[in-house]
Amino acid sequence: MSEIRRRDPRREWIARNRLHPEHASVVAEQGGAASEWLGPNGVIRKNPRAIGFIGPNGIKRIDRSGAQQGGQAASAARQAAQDSRRNVTIEAPAFLVAVVPELSGGRLSAHDKDLLGLARRLADADPERPGAVLAVVFGEHKEDAFGEAGIDRLLHLDDDAYAGFAPEARLAALSAVERELAPRHWLLPDSPLGGADLGRRLALRLSERPATGVWQIEADAETPLGWRCTARGAAESLDIQRPLPRVALALAECAEPVDETRHAAEPLYLTESIPSAFSRIEDLGQVAVDPAGVALAEAEFILSGGNGVKDWDGFHHAAKVLGATEGASRVAVDDGFMARHRQVGATGTWVTARVYLAVGISGAIQHLQGIQTCDKVVAINLDPGCDMIKRADLAVIGDSAEILAALVAMVEQQRGGQRDAA
Amino acid sequence: MRPEQQGIEVAVLVSVGRHPITGRARRADQDARGLELALGLERQLPGSRVGLLHAGPRSEENESALRGYLGMGLDTLTLLEQAEGSDAIPALAEHLAAAPPQLVITGARAERGEGSGLLPYALAERLGWPLVNGLAAVEKVENGVATLLQALPRGQRRRLKVRLPAIVSVDAAAPAARQSAFGPARRAELAATPVPAEPDRELAEWQLAPARKRPKRLKIVKAASARDRFKAAAAKAEGGSGQVLEGVSAEQGAEAILKLLNEEGVLR
Amino acid sequence: MLETLLPILIFAALGLAVIGAWRRVRLWRQGRPSAVPLLKGLAALPRRYLVDLHHVVERDKVMSNTHVATAGGFVAAAVLMILVHGFGLAQGVLGWLLLAASATMFVGSLFVARRRRNPPARLSKGPWMRLPKSLMAFSLSVFAITLPAVGILPADFGHWLLALALAAVVVWGLGEMVFGMTWGGPMKHAFAGALHLAFHRRAERFGEGNRSTGLKALNLDDEAAPLGVEKPADFTWNQLLGFDACVQCGRCEAMCPAFAAGQPLNPKKLIQDMVVGLAGGSDANYAGSPYPGKPVGEHHGTPHGPIVAREGKALVDAETLWSCTTCRACVEECPMMIEHVDAIVDMRRHLTLERGQTPNKGAEVLDNLIATDNPGGFDPGSRLHWAADLNLPLMADVKQAEVLLWLGDGAFDMRNQRTLRALVKVLRAAEVEFAVLGTEERDSGDVARRLGDEATFQSLAKRNITTLAKYRFQRIVTCDPHSFHVLGNEYGELGGQYEVRHHSTFIAELYDAGRLAFAPWKGGSVTYHDPCYLGRYNGEYEAPRNVLKALGIEVKEMERSGFRSRCCGGGGGAPITDIPGERRIPDMRMNDVKESGAELVAVGCPQCTAMLEGVVDATAEVRDIAELVADALVARPAVEAVDASRRNAGKTAEEVI
């Protein structure tokens, strides 16, 4: 769309005149622009009466979320949504809540954001004496929205020593943070290769007995830190209620992520240098693993083919593009299209994938048993009456080869688009 | 055979597991995987010795669960006998320090009790040994240095070198444990030694309850207007379980699938 | 010259045979002891041979008559020859009898020769190909040497060269028939077979209408007792004797579903491998069909060496043992009454209990059985969830009932739940007073036992027996033939004696008693698949057919039905161990259905339903008998007229579905 605004004085006049018979349609056409426009002198003019729209019952409705009813208002609406965040700056925090996000892929993960939400609850509990959330970030990152996630202070430790698996170096750095800043709380995500490891090391270094698998906290004045937590124990089978210790490892969805405030994410530096730790663990780097070689039981996204797949080259190509692990039905294995260890089902592998994309599989009972713990099942099949369709969360009836090809094209386009945007 | 290929001494720490559905005592899944890894190592490095170690009370139920490990092909298990509810860490650390093996393998988390997964870390801290978590395989052991593969999510692997003696913990990415056979399990010996035990007072003060189901988080719709929110909510209802798209073009079908894949976040 | 030579030859052959017999007996005695009443067994031998064994042989009329002529002729000829030529009692009728016997034998041998001209694939070749010639050599030479003895020919007839030639033929005949009988060779089957019949490990299976199909329990209390069979010498001595009796007719091979599916199992070869193991050596001399996909000559063993190697090859590969579906088609077919399934399970017990090598899903299933009392690993508390709306009476509440309805593990399977609902509807329609154990029920232990995990089986069985002992009921009814077999035939040894009925039997009884009425059948043609554990294991072939007849269905029989029914591939844990073959057994069975032209196949087993319904592009629908009956139910006319309350009961039953 062109950036040059073209003005239509008549329509502007109609838009201002609520009594004009064409008023409603013009307002609808102009969207949000009707209440706010550039005056002849280049000054923004506002019409407070133009805010809102006529609802289906003929009653005027005002939407205070910042967006007006209207087709063209999408980009303006997004702008407004971001603008609605309140800026918060905590100058002199009463205490620090240290968070070590896992930063998977260089960005704050959903788990990190939940954890920061939890940190905010701890920090903001007493409005008189607010604490600050300190994030300790290791290595390079691509995140640019630390403030939006609720971080007041950002300690970015960028050094090659922290790259890869470097628990000893990271632990030394966190010990230095502890010495210098002495945060009241340490929060880490209890995620397999994020904070689960580092958090436990830190706790023992600080001689604390950490709470692990925390998923809920509530204020309790009788405990040393003023909080109680509920934590999962014994392989997810127990809830342990205990006073919140200084070091807590929290599960995903332990709190709502921050979405109403924007924080300063003010950079912070340690004054003393971190002693370099003698490392007995050396990271030799990631090993190239063929996505097709990932064990079926471990895979979180499986593209599974059955009797209805005719174009196996297309199928393998789709699996590669989607980054999915390949599975197969018994028939496909019996017919020699897939190796036996790729067979999904009661007689093959019981899979636990988050998404199971079944292509041309009618869904024998044994097969359905094998996928019963899958979160989402998507089926592509020609036969709308087959059992797999009944099981599927989403089913598309049609030619599997065409649909897969279209899906592959879309995924490639989406990836391309992302790369352009980045 | 080259001298550095000599076998090593491996201790596998095992616990009494708990079946997730029935709660019956069993060999713990991760510990059994750890033992499987050790047995694989024994094959790979001839002359290696694998020892089994457990600290806890001796009861009929526990014994049958522990024999589950012995059924994987070992003759003895060292049982450090303690009263129920004791802290196992000092006893284990003392036992390991007295006759240090080169490698200690343990499951990441216990299936009973606190199950915090702290034990390997506590032992590593006490013994001053390096610790590697999420172990998938031991590639080789040479000159007191082990080359390991650490499991990353989605089946990815990272190669690490660690100086022995070390503690490694395994989770579900390690090779699945072999079947436990009844005969060897019945014949094997439980070598029990009573050890002094301190009760875990802190744990005793906590409130333990069967896990409640965690509330499912509602999908927060980041919509700017009520209309968008309504649209999002309506779209969710129609996109719920069992949606069947019939008579749509391949593109439309693919689009619906792509939307679901994006929602689930499996595309990377 | 012959007069002096013959007694020497005969007694030499007999002497050597006795030495051979002693050696053979020593080979068998390598096995573990087994308490068998020796004299009683020997006394029962003639009846077992002439009645029970002949009953099986008679299924092939020509071969049966051939065997009667040849074997009968030989036994008579051999005895008479000893008298006539050994002791010189040629006078009178004996010589003539000998002539008649050897002539009969010769006629029989002609039929044997005819059969060997183009032998079917199931017959072993090798030494067996010379058998008709040996039979002829014996019968002809005995005939010839007897001619002078009875005076038809002069005593000094012919040249000394002719006499020498005749003597050579006599030596051949005697060598094969007498010496070979105990030293190895085709005739070994006569010697070993006779003793096998006498000392059979399942004496109770002989006699009209008797069967003995339950596996024998291991003694787990004795820690020194071996768990299963690791080496040939771990079999009991009479099992080894049984293997040695094999006549390599290959009837088992022709019936074996695993062999037909190209899985690496051939029951005949397996028994021959056991013979190789008991004597020591390699299978290179085996001259029959190999295990599919496994060349002959690569396996070898010794009596005290392992049957299945921990690494590499020994006597048998593990996958051979795990291919078996325990369908008992081989045992049913074997004219020598060899117990293949017992042997296979014995060897599986070792693999599972001692080595922990149950293949594929086996270990997982066994772990589930230990931890959750069902093979699927489902929450045992959810066993009755499928019946939440049915309001089934629980034994724990009512304490006693006429019928205990045993649900089996099908209660966790959505397909089988339909069958169970149908069965409940039928029972309610017939106003049967029944109750279920509900969550107190556990897996019967069938799968665990067939997978060789005797410990888990006994644990499940003992706990089930304890539960059942708490309640009073007249009989157990189940729609699972596997549970039926285990409860009825295998719990007895552990202290649980029950009267168990398969649901088809029970429905047939209800119908005969006039407690059920059916609408006429309107569907297409129907065939019936006999479940192995109902038919061959328990001899119930008629009741399901009677039920179908009562429904107005004329069963279109498949070529293989009744005692020759082909397995669905679901027994013995075969779907769990899942040994690959060239075809799938259920596919073959559905092909049988297709060939019968039926549009619907009625079954009576959850395993069969699951296996047959799992066949892709099947031409026939698969339905359980209970479902067919439930669909056809109509209120009984008499009841409708008189008893309104009963009609209501019937109505509620219909609403249930």
Short mmCIF file of all heavy atoms in Angstrom, two decimals, chain B residues 129-155:
data_model
loop_
_atom_site.label_atom_id
_atom_site.label_comp_id
_atom_site.label_asym_id
_atom_site.label_seq_id
_atom_site.Cartn_x
_atom_site.Cartn_y
_atom_site.Cartn_z
N TRP B 129 33.19 -34.59 41.92
CA TRP B 129 33.37 -35.18 40.59
C TRP B 129 32.55 -34.42 39.57
O TRP B 129 31.52 -33.84 39.90
CB TRP B 129 32.90 -36.64 40.58
CG TRP B 129 33.74 -37.55 41.43
CD1 TRP B 129 34.85 -37.23 42.15
CD2 TRP B 129 33.50 -38.94 41.64
NE1 TRP B 129 35.32 -38.33 42.80
CE2 TRP B 129 34.52 -39.39 42.50
CE3 TRP B 129 32.55 -39.85 41.18
CZ2 TRP B 129 34.60 -40.72 42.91
CZ3 TRP B 129 32.62 -41.16 41.59
CH2 TRP B 129 33.64 -41.59 42.45
N PRO B 130 32.99 -34.44 38.31
CA PRO B 130 32.15 -33.82 37.27
C PRO B 130 30.89 -34.65 37.05
O PRO B 130 30.88 -35.86 37.28
CB PRO B 130 33.03 -33.83 36.03
CG PRO B 130 34.02 -34.91 36.26
CD PRO B 130 34.23 -34.99 37.75
N LEU B 131 29.86 -33.98 36.58
CA LEU B 131 28.60 -34.65 36.36
C LEU B 131 28.07 -34.29 34.97
O LEU B 131 28.15 -33.14 34.56
CB LEU B 131 27.59 -34.22 37.42
CG LEU B 131 26.19 -34.83 37.30
CD1 LEU B 131 25.63 -35.10 38.67
CD2 LEU B 131 25.23 -33.95 36.53
N VAL B 132 27.57 -35.30 34.28
CA VAL B 132 26.93 -35.06 32.98
C VAL B 132 25.53 -35.63 33.07
O VAL B 132 25.33 -36.76 33.51
CB VAL B 132 27.72 -35.75 31.84
CG1 VAL B 132 26.95 -35.64 30.53
CG2 VAL B 132 29.10 -35.13 31.70
N ASN B 133 24.55 -34.84 32.66
CA ASN B 133 23.18 -35.33 32.71
C ASN B 133 22.70 -35.72 31.31
O ASN B 133 23.36 -35.44 30.31
CB ASN B 133 22.26 -34.26 33.30
CG ASN B 133 22.15 -33.06 32.40
OD1 ASN B 133 23.10 -32.73 31.69
ND2 ASN B 133 21.02 -32.40 32.41
N GLY B 134 21.58 -36.37 31.26
CA GLY B 134 20.96 -36.70 29.97
C GLY B 134 21.82 -37.56 29.08
O GLY B 134 21.88 -37.34 27.87
N LEU B 135 22.49 -38.53 29.67
CA LEU B 135 23.41 -39.34 28.87
C LEU B 135 22.66 -40.27 27.93
O LEU B 135 21.66 -40.88 28.31
CB LEU B 135 24.27 -40.18 29.83
CG LEU B 135 25.48 -40.79 29.15
CD1 LEU B 135 26.52 -39.72 28.92
CD2 LEU B 135 26.05 -41.89 30.00
N ALA B 136 23.14 -40.38 26.69
CA ALA B 136 22.52 -41.28 25.73
C ALA B 136 23.40 -42.49 25.45
O ALA B 136 22.91 -43.58 25.22
CB ALA B 136 22.20 -40.56 24.43
N ALA B 137 24.72 -42.28 25.46
CA ALA B 137 25.62 -43.40 25.16
C ALA B 137 27.03 -43.05 25.64
O ALA B 137 27.38 -41.88 25.75
CB ALA B 137 25.65 -43.67 23.66
N VAL B 138 27.80 -44.09 25.93
CA VAL B 138 29.22 -43.92 26.21
C VAL B 138 29.95 -44.41 24.96
O VAL B 138 29.80 -45.56 24.58
CB VAL B 138 29.66 -44.73 27.44
CG1 VAL B 138 31.15 -44.59 27.66
CG2 VAL B 138 28.89 -44.28 28.67
N GLU B 139 30.66 -43.53 24.31
CA GLU B 139 31.31 -43.93 23.06
C GLU B 139 32.61 -44.69 23.32
O GLU B 139 32.85 -45.73 22.75
CB GLU B 139 31.56 -42.72 22.18
CG GLU B 139 30.26 -42.18 21.59
CD GLU B 139 30.51 -41.20 20.47
OE1 GLU B 139 31.41 -40.35 20.60
OE2 GLU B 139 29.79 -41.28 19.47
N LYS B 140 33.45 -44.11 24.16
CA LYS B 140 34.67 -44.83 24.50
C LYS B 140 35.26 -44.30 25.80
O LYS B 140 34.92 -43.20 26.24
CB LYS B 140 35.70 -44.74 23.37
CG LYS B 140 36.11 -43.32 23.07
CD LYS B 140 37.09 -43.30 21.92
CE LYS B 140 37.41 -41.85 21.59
NZ LYS B 140 38.00 -41.63 20.31
N VAL B 141 36.11 -45.10 26.38
CA VAL B 141 36.82 -44.68 27.58
C VAL B 141 38.30 -44.92 27.33
O VAL B 141 38.70 -46.05 27.04
CB VAL B 141 36.36 -45.48 28.82
CG1 VAL B 141 37.12 -45.03 30.05
CG2 VAL B 141 34.87 -45.33 29.02
N GLU B 142 39.08 -43.86 27.37
CA GLU B 142 40.51 -43.98 27.09
C GLU B 142 41.29 -43.09 28.04
O GLU B 142 40.95 -41.92 28.21
CB GLU B 142 40.81 -43.50 25.66
CG GLU B 142 40.69 -44.59 24.61
CD GLU B 142 40.98 -44.03 23.21
OE1 GLU B 142 41.33 -42.84 23.10
OE2 GLU B 142 40.86 -44.80 22.27
N ASN B 143 42.31 -43.64 28.62
CA ASN B 143 43.21 -42.85 29.48
C ASN B 143 42.45 -42.05 30.54
O ASN B 143 42.75 -40.89 30.79
CB ASN B 143 44.05 -41.88 28.64
CG ASN B 143 44.90 -42.62 27.64
OD1 ASN B 143 45.38 -43.72 27.94
ND2 ASN B 143 45.05 -42.05 26.47
N GLY B 144 41.46 -42.65 31.09
CA GLY B 144 40.73 -41.96 32.14
C GLY B 144 39.85 -40.83 31.64
O GLY B 144 39.41 -39.99 32.42
N VAL B 145 39.61 -40.80 30.34
CA VAL B 145 38.69 -39.80 29.80
C VAL B 145 37.60 -40.55 29.03
O VAL B 145 37.89 -41.41 28.19
CB VAL B 145 39.41 -38.82 28.85
CG1 VAL B 145 38.40 -37.87 28.21
CG2 VAL B 145 40.46 -38.04 29.62
N ALA B 146 36.35 -40.21 29.32
CA ALA B 146 35.25 -40.88 28.64
C ALA B 146 34.67 -39.94 27.61
O ALA B 146 34.55 -38.74 27.85
CB ALA B 146 34.18 -41.28 29.64
N THR B 147 34.36 -40.47 26.45
CA THR B 147 33.66 -39.71 25.43
C THR B 147 32.20 -40.14 25.47
O THR B 147 31.89 -41.32 25.33
CB THR B 147 34.26 -39.98 24.03
OG1 THR B 147 35.66 -39.84 24.14
CG2 THR B 147 33.71 -39.01 23.02
N LEU B 148 31.34 -39.17 25.67
CA LEU B 148 29.93 -39.48 25.91
C LEU B 148 29.07 -38.79 24.87
O LEU B 148 29.47 -37.79 24.28
CB LEU B 148 29.50 -38.97 27.29
CG LEU B 148 30.40 -39.24 28.47
CD1 LEU B 148 29.94 -38.45 29.67
CD2 LEU B 148 30.39 -40.73 28.79
N LEU B 149 27.88 -39.31 24.69
CA LEU B 149 26.88 -38.62 23.90
C LEU B 149 25.77 -38.19 24.84
O LEU B 149 25.22 -39.01 25.57
CB LEU B 149 26.30 -39.54 22.82
CG LEU B 149 27.14 -39.74 21.56
CD1 LEU B 149 26.35 -40.55 20.56
CD2 LEU B 149 27.56 -38.42 20.95
N GLN B 150 25.48 -36.90 24.80
CA GLN B 150 24.42 -36.37 25.63
C GLN B 150 23.19 -36.16 24.76
O GLN B 150 23.30 -35.71 23.62
CB GLN B 150 24.87 -35.04 26.23
CG GLN B 150 23.93 -34.49 27.27
CD GLN B 150 24.36 -33.12 27.73
OE1 GLN B 150 24.85 -32.32 26.94
NE2 GLN B 150 24.20 -32.85 29.00
N ALA B 151 22.03 -36.50 25.30
CA ALA B 151 20.81 -36.38 24.52
C ALA B 151 20.27 -34.97 24.59
O ALA B 151 20.20 -34.37 25.66
CB ALA B 151 19.77 -37.36 25.04
N LEU B 152 19.92 -34.43 23.45
CA LEU B 152 19.23 -33.15 23.37
C LEU B 152 17.81 -33.46 22.89
O LEU B 152 17.55 -34.55 22.38
CB LEU B 152 19.94 -32.23 22.36
CG LEU B 152 21.41 -31.93 22.66
CD1 LEU B 152 21.99 -31.04 21.58
CD2 LEU B 152 21.53 -31.24 24.00
N PRO B 153 16.91 -32.52 23.03
CA PRO B 153 15.54 -32.81 22.59
C PRO B 153 15.46 -33.18 21.11
O PRO B 153 16.34 -32.83 20.33
CB PRO B 153 14.80 -31.48 22.85
CG PRO B 153 15.61 -30.77 23.86
CD PRO B 153 17.02 -31.19 23.64
N ARG B 154 14.38 -33.86 20.77
CA ARG B 154 14.11 -34.30 19.40
C ARG B 154 15.20 -35.22 18.85
O ARG B 154 15.56 -35.15 17.68
CB ARG B 154 13.94 -33.11 18.47
CG ARG B 154 12.65 -32.36 18.70
CD ARG B 154 12.30 -31.54 17.51
NE ARG B 154 11.50 -32.28 16.57
CZ ARG B 154 11.26 -31.87 15.34
NH1 ARG B 154 11.76 -30.77 14.89
NH2 ARG B 154 10.51 -32.58 14.55
N GLY B 155 15.76 -36.02 19.70
CA GLY B 155 16.69 -37.04 19.22
C GLY B 155 18.06 -36.52 18.84
O GLY B 155 18.86 -37.24 18.26
#
